[in-house]
Amino acid sequence: HDIPILPRPIRWSAATAAFQIEGARTAGGRGRSVWDDWVDTPGKVVDGSTADPGPDSYHRWREDVALAADLELDRYRFSISWTRVQPDGAGSPNPVGLDYYSRLVDDLLDAGVTPFPTLYHWDLPLPIHEAGGWLARDTAHRFADYTALVVDRLGDRVKHWYTINEPAMTTLQGYATGELAPGEVLLFDALPTAHHQLLAHGLATRVLRAAGAESVGIANNHTHVLPLHDDDAQAVAAYDLIHNRIFADPILTGAYPDLSSLGAAMPVHDGDLDVIAERPDFYAVNFYNPTTVTAPTGDDNPIPFDIVPTPGAPVTGFGPAWPIVPNTLRDLLLDFTARYPGMPPVIISENGASFPEPDRGVQPCDPDRIAYLDGHIRAVGEAITAGADVQEYTVWSLIDNFEWADGYTQRFGLVHVDFETSARMPKTSYDWYGRVIAENRA
Ligand code: BGC
């Protein structure tokens, strides 16, 4: 393989999330989140795994820092567990929880890697869920309070922050279809959870800036929507609306798109959109795959599209639900650049893939992952050449980890993790990514 060379240097990163790597679910006074309930409910995780110990990063964070440093990452994207900081989701902070992240930050800085934490990657404290979760407006204010506690402790050393990871997935899969925690099946009645997460992002942005943050943004999941047939434009527009535009428009234009076609409205109060549209310093995109849609089947189908396999596309370990079409990342970036003139610089905050990888005890060889990343990094290069202002790229994930409802059955890491012993072993993709970074570093 030749290493991809971008038209100009950018920053490089790799990502993880607290619940997916930390394990140690009862250590240090940690409280329970919706994901603790989910993994403790039989049948919810395909292999019955509980995320504990998994990679056990609560005890092995130094190994993660060393892996990030050896790659010469510019930044490491990790997430902070709300329930380590506020075990009940409210009140004064748990010092043991904050100490853990403070040590991680110090060790990253000592190793020359800039810490770039996400404040919320899906682990909503259970008491907040019981009080209404993201259906309740008050949760946005609880999130701002939690943000203040974290920045108060880490803000002297951490200057770059992601607020919320993928509100779209929480709304669509957590509250609309029930595939992820908290597992509500509300269909379009889930939409208020989008507004409350966006409001939480805006309120937290203000808290972080007041505390001296240099750059703040939200990490949105986006997909490039493809029609199955030439006459599927309506289905494309409907899916683009609920997956992309509901989450991007208010941030980048200060208004929601017209939702009347969904028979839905957002619970917007006066001033909310000003808070949400507080200009982010970057626009962060998590991208995995395109989504192909067609007109819905059935006469009284409430859903205005059917999601179908992408014809002719190779797939990841998830099968047809995750087609691999790298140039759709380029197309998405160019669509956004045209749709939102003057948008902030773009960070690719997650991109990666899982493939079946048996334990072998020698350096795991993952040519499929190298090919996936190679294609997508080249697509970023093409987008930059065509005018997209991409400044940073992040691999999901630095290490194999707990893949939510799929447990340990899907491995996304540049580094293999033995889930019996938590031992780490770099894959060939890790070495390859190190070479990409060395050739394209800003
Ligand atoms: C999430 C990660 C997840 C990855 C792969 C993203 O949507 O942010 O937590 O592991 O996709 O499914």
Side-chain angles (χ1 to χ4, degrees):
H1 257 299
D2 292 341
I3 296 292
I5 302 294
L6 299 189
R8 58 172 166 74
I10 61 170
R11 295 185 301 265
W12 299 90
S13 180
T16 58
F19 193 79
Q20 296 179 270
I21 65 163
E22 286 178 1
R25 293 197 290 129
T26 56
R30 179 184 176 282
R32 287 175 67 81
S33 78
V34 290
W35 273 99
D36 291 280
D37 248 21
W38 184 276
V39 301
D40 288 336
T41 306
K44 290 287 197 189
V45 178
V46 290
D47 58 359
S49 56
T50 63
D52 199 359
D56 199 22
S57 292
Y58 187 70
H59 299 110
R60 291 173 172 255
W61 84 90
R62 286 192 188 87
E63 295 174 42
D64 299 341
V65 171
L67 288 164
D70 286 351
L71 267 184
E72 298 194 41
L73 294 182
D74 294 295
R75 295 171 168 188
Y76 173 48
R77 179 177 180 220
F78 59 97
S79 89
I80 294 173
S81 157
W82 191 339
T83 61
R84 287 200 194 280
V85 175
Q86 280 184 312
D88 297 323
S92 49
N94 168 28
V96 182
L98 283 171
D99 287 348
Y100 170 67
Y101 296 107
S102 184
R103 279 192 300 270
L104 173 60
V105 162
D106 283 343
D107 287 354
L108 285 167
L109 290 169
D110 284 349
V113 179
T114 300
F116 197 175
T118 307
L119 283 157
Y120 175 74
H121 198 125
W122 300 2
D123 40 4
L124 192 69
L126 212 45
I128 294 192
H129 170 65
E130 283 156 1
W134 288 113
L135 290 164
R137 182 180 173 88
D138 190 50
T139 299
H141 295 284
R142 302 283 72 78
F143 179 71
D145 292 348
Y146 152 70
T147 299
L149 299 178
V150 176
V151 73
D152 184 52
R153 179 66 194 278
L154 303 181
D156 57 336
R157 287 154 290 155
V158 176
K159 299 296 174 189
H160 311 283
W161 302 85
Y162 294 105
T163 53
I164 294 191
N165 183 68
E166 297 190 350
M169 292 302 108
T170 295
T171 296
L172 300 178
Q173 301 195 329
Y175 286 88
T177 65
E179 292 154 80
L180 297 173
E184 309 279 345
V185 188
L186 301 173
L187 301 182
F188 289 124
D189 291 340
L191 287 179
T193 66
H195 182 64
H196 296 144
Q197 291 179 88
L198 293 168
L199 183 62
H201 154 74
L203 293 170
T205 299
R206 290 186 170 177
V207 168
L208 292 164
R209 286 191 173 147
E214 287 167 20
S215 72
V216 183
I218 190 169
N220 268 332
N221 180 296
H222 288 302
T223 187
H224 187 68
V225 192
L226 300 167
L228 181 63
H229 303 115
D230 289 346
D231 58 355
D232 281 331
Q234 247 186 319
V236 168
Y239 194 71
D240 187 42
L241 184 65
I242 72 157
H243 193 127
N244 294 324
R245 295 197 52 194
I246 283 178
F247 301 92
D249 281 22
I251 303 269
L252 295 173
T253 73
Y256 282 107
D258 179 5
L259 301 177
S260 56
S261 63
L262 306 177
M266 288 294 182
V268 179
H269 293 199
D270 275 357
D272 284 3
L273 285 162
D274 292 337
V275 176
I276 293 171
E278 181 100 7
R279 186 176 164 85
D281 299 284
F282 52 82
Y283 190 76
V285 174
N286 292 0
F287 180 87
Y288 287 91
N289 47 48
T291 305
T292 300
V293 298
T294 187
T297 45
D299 286 342
D300 48 2
N301 191 336
I303 311 295
F305 49 79
D306 272 354
I307 296 176
V308 296
T310 300
V315 300
T316 73
F318 280 92
W322 290 55
I324 304 174
V325 193
N327 61 21
T328 57
L329 173 55
R330 175 200 62 207
D331 296 345
L332 178 132
L333 291 168
L334 294 178
D335 281 359
F336 268 62
T337 304
R339 186 185 281 179
Y340 304 108
M343 72 184 288
V346 172
I347 289 177
I348 306 296
S349 37
E350 288 180 24
N351 178 235
S354 66
F355 295 99
E357 284 162 10
D359 288 308
R360 292 188 200 87
V362 293
Q363 181 176 34
C365 234
D366 53 346
D368 292 339
R369 177 166 298 98
I370 292 175
Y372 177 98
L373 297 174
D374 178 272
H376 287 79
I377 290 169
R378 286 176 199 273
V380 168
E382 289 172 21
I384 291 173
T385 300
D389 184 13
V390 181
Q391 299 195 342
E392 181 168 339
Y393 173 90
T394 311
V395 171
W396 181 271
S397 174
L398 179 64
I399 57 178
D400 286 343
N401 58 54
F402 178 78
E403 177 55 22
W404 308 114
D406 290 279
Y408 298 135
T409 66
Q410 300 289 342
R411 294 174 175 273
F412 281 82
L414 298 170
V415 174
H416 177 88
V417 175
D418 179 328
F419 291 122
E420 297 293 316
T421 64
S422 307
R424 286 131 169 85
M425 193 189 293
K427 305 178 191 177
T428 48
S429 60
Y430 176 91
D431 298 338
W432 175 88
Y433 191 49
R435 296 210 302 280
V436 173
I437 293 172
E439 296 291 332
N440 292 279
R441 156 192 299 300

